[in-house]
Amino acid sequence: MPLIETPAEILALVAVLSYLLGTVPFGIVISRLFGLADPRTVGSGNIGTTNVLRSGNKTAAALTLVLDSAKGGIAVIIARLLVGEDAAQLAAISAFLGHLYPVWLGFKGGKGVATFLGTVLALSPLVGAIACATWLLVFALFRISSLGGITAPAIAPLAALALGQADKAIVLALMAAFVWKRHRDNIVRLIAGTEPKVGQKKPEDSE
C-alpha cells in the first residue's frame, strides 16, 4: 500500500462508495435488458460474462465484460482524482470485493476476472496491459477461459514488482488470491484435465 495520508473517515467513505459501485450486477442488468435468462439460473450460477455468453448473445456478454471491467476502473480513477493514491488502491480492492460479494445478491457475485483487469488497468496501465495480454495469450493457446482467468491475476503482481511498483503489487496479490479462491473448482478440473474449452458444455466456467 502507498503511504496513507488521507484521513480515515474519507478513506472509509471511499471504501463504501467503491464497494457499492462494485456491487452493480451488470450481468443481471444486461440480461434483463436483452430479455435473456438470469445468469444465476444457468451454468455456474455466477453473474459474470461467461454465464451471460451461455445465452448465445455475444453482444450482451461483451457489454457485461466491458461494464464489469469499467466499474473497477472508474472507482480507482475517481478516488485518485478526488483524494489520492492511497484512496485509489483502497477503491480498487473495495470495488473488486463488491463484485465478488454484492450485498444485494446475498454476497454471491462473480469470479472477479473482468473487474480485476479493469482495476489493474486503472491502477497501472502498463501492468494492466501485461495482465490483459496474458489472459488473451493463454486463452488463444488453450481456449480455456478459467486458465486465462487465473493466470493473468498471478502475473499482475509479479509484473508490478518487476516495474518497481511494490505498493501496487501488494494490492494485486491480495486481489489475485481472491480470484484463485473463487476459481478453486476450476483449478481442480484443470489439474484433473476435465476443465472444458470454450464451446464445450460444463456447469462451471471462469467469470
Side-chain angles (χ1 to χ4, degrees), residues 28-53:
I28 296 175
V29 173
I30 295 299
S31 294
R32 289 180 179 175
L33 289 175
F34 278 73
L36 307 174
D38 189 319
R40 294 171 295 178
T41 65
V42 298
S44 63
N46 289 301
I47 63 173
T49 302
T50 299
N51 269 2
V52 177
L53 184 59

Side-chain angles (χ1 to χ4, degrees), residues 46-84:
N46 289 301
I47 63 173
T49 302
T50 299
N51 269 2
V52 177
L53 184 59
R54 286 191 172 96
S55 69
N57 192 313
K58 294 182 180 179
T59 300
L63 283 173
T64 301
L65 175 65
V66 170
L67 292 173
D68 277 347
S69 299
K71 65 186 181 184
I74 289 172
V76 171
I77 292 169
I78 292 177
R80 179 181 285 141
L81 289 175
L82 297 182
V83 185

Side-chain angles (χ1 to χ4, degrees), residues 80-160:
R80 179 181 285 141
L81 289 175
L82 297 182
V83 185
E85 189 60 29
D86 54 353
Q89 295 191 23
L90 179 61
I93 296 173
S94 300
F96 173 73
L97 292 177
H99 177 74
L100 264 60
Y101 306 106
V103 63
W104 324 114
L105 303 178
F107 302 101
K108 297 179 180 179
K111 293 189 176 180
V113 177
T115 306
F116 176 89
L117 293 176
T119 59
V120 178
L121 282 168
L123 281 174
S124 174
L126 182 53
V127 175
I130 292 171
C132 289
T134 298
W135 190 95
L136 288 170
L137 177 61
V138 172
F139 181 75
L141 289 175
F142 299 98
R143 306 298 294 178
I144 301 177
S145 179
S146 61
L147 185 57
I150 61 174
T151 304
I155 291 297
L158 298 177

Side-chain angles (χ1 to χ4, degrees), residues 166-201:
D167 57 334
K168 295 182 177 67
I170 296 173
V171 173
L172 297 178
L174 176 62
M175 294 166 62
F178 276 97
V179 172
W180 275 62
K181 178 183 178 182
R182 298 287 288 184
H183 282 79
R184 57 188 179 275
D185 292 337
N186 302 87
I187 293 170
V188 170
R189 290 196 297 272
L190 284 167
I191 293 172
T194 58
E195 182 73 332
K197 295 184 178 183
V198 169
Q200 293 179 328
K201 293 184 178 181

